[in-house]
Amino acid sequence: HTSSPRECVIFQPSRFEDGTEIADHMKFGRIVLINEEMMTTDEARRITDFLAGAAFALDGKLLRVGSLKAVVFTPHGVALLSDQMDELESNVMRF
């Protein structure tokens, strides 16, 4: 059961425990944007590590967007296009 890859869900988690709900959307093939501005540095690192593991398991990609406290998950088979692809590619979390 997957949703349309055109769906994008935006989250602004405030605690690590919000990661489970975010991972559920990733499992359904949705593009997910995570704004970590409301989290402490430690909590943001924990949730990003957790979601990186989920992305790996789902054969997707997790990309940090520039120097912002934002991360994008793209499911397998969904390309992320930007006029700044070189910069984005350098922020792909390798597994």
Side-chain angles (χ1 to χ4, degrees):
H1 178 265
T2 60
S3 64
S4 167
R6 294 186 187 144
E7 285 185 327
C8 180
V9 184
I10 301 170
F11 286 95
Q12 187 166 353
S14 58
R15 56 196 179 102
F16 172 75
E17 291 77 15
D18 296 333
T20 304
E21 180 184 357
I22 296 167
D24 285 341
H25 285 278
M26 294 166 65
K27 285 192 311 190
F28 289 113
R30 295 183 178 109
I31 299 165
V32 178
L33 173 64
I34 303 118
N35 178 348
E36 299 174 338
E37 290 181 328
M38 300 302 291
M39 302 182 84
T40 66
T41 301
D42 288 339
E43 288 283 292
R45 184 177 303 118
R46 285 182 67 209
I47 200 168
T48 299
D49 288 347
F50 172 76
L51 295 173
F56 173 76
L58 297 168
D59 198 26
K61 291 183 182 175
L62 204 62
L63 302 101
R64 181 151 309 276
V65 180
S67 61
L68 301 174
K69 289 184 82 175
V71 178
V72 175
F73 165 77
T74 55
H76 177 74
V78 174
L80 186 61
L81 304 175
S82 170
D83 60 347
Q84 301 169 339
M85 279 314 293
D86 290 339
E87 181 181 337
L88 282 177
E89 283 297 317
S90 69
N91 292 322
V92 172
M93 295 178 188
R94 305 284 179 208
F95 304 110

